[in-house]
Amino acid sequence: MKQVVAALILRDNKVLICQRTRHQPMPLKWEFPGGKIETGEQPHDALRRELDEELGITASIGDEVARLKHHYRNGGALELRFFVVREYQGEIDNRIFREVRWAALAELPQFDFLEADLKLVKDLAAGKII
């Protein structure tokens, strides 16, 4: 099972969401920034690395707020761990996505998120997390 970390980067009661490009797997789907934990890497370190690679920021990784397992129809399986990020250094620089934007938690269900993120999106919009 692939181990994945993702950030809920918060600012002014909004969260940063990212849209995949047409050339990535599951094109144009929305997601939270993050990625795969490499062998020997701790989750906090993996997320810090991914946020630097994808957005050019140095993040202070906060608490883990959700852990979900998801099995895709094609047989792929992953465990997703979501961490809160309230502080970071640097300006957000979109390095790999089609689009990044700040969205209010209540409006998250309006976006076409990855299937693995849908339960978390509903919980965020309902105020159950953070």
Side-chain angles (χ1 to χ4, degrees), residues 17-108:
I17 60 174
C18 306
Q19 187 180 36
R20 292 180 171 212
T21 68
R22 294 183 190 286
H23 308 291
Q24 289 174 294
M26 292 173 268
L28 304 180
K29 292 281 189 179
W30 288 87
E31 64 181 343
F32 300 98
K36 194 172 91 170
I37 300 174
E38 301 294 342
T39 304
E41 216 173 19
Q42 293 300 312
H44 280 74
D45 297 329
L47 188 53
R48 200 171 293 110
R49 174 184 53 75
E50 288 284 350
L51 295 177
D52 178 46
E53 291 173 2
E54 296 178 353
L55 301 171
I57 60 172
T58 303
S60 297
I61 310 301
D63 292 336
E64 180 177 331
V65 294
R67 189 180 298 199
L68 308 170
K69 290 184 180 173
H70 185 76
H71 298 271
Y72 280 99
R73 287 183 207 102
N74 68 3
L78 52 92
E79 182 179 64
L80 279 156
R81 299 171 71 169
F82 294 90
F83 294 86
V84 171
V85 173
R86 296 183 191 277
E87 297 177 6
Y88 59 88
Q89 295 174 332
E91 293 296 319
I92 290 178
D93 177 23
N94 179 5
R95 295 181 174 176
I96 68 161
F97 299 103
R98 179 175 187 257
E99 183 179 349
V100 297
R101 73 164 60 169
W102 294 99
L105 299 179
E107 60 185 30
L108 290 176

Side-chain angles (χ1 to χ4, degrees), residues 1-6 8 20 25-26 29-32 66-74 76-82 111-124 129:
M1 182 171 287
K2 190 186 332 183
Q3 301 292 310
V4 177
V5 287
L8 302 175
R20 292 180 171 212
M26 292 173 268
K29 292 281 189 179
W30 288 87
E31 64 181 343
F32 300 98
R67 189 180 298 199
L68 308 170
K69 290 184 180 173
H70 185 76
H71 298 271
Y72 280 99
R73 287 183 207 102
N74 68 3
L78 52 92
E79 182 179 64
L80 279 156
R81 299 171 71 169
F82 294 90
F111 294 90
D112 186 16
F113 269 88
L114 291 170
E115 191 177 312
D117 292 344
L118 291 178
K119 181 182 180 336
L120 179 81
V121 165
K122 288 176 187 166
D123 288 348
L124 285 167
I129 300 174

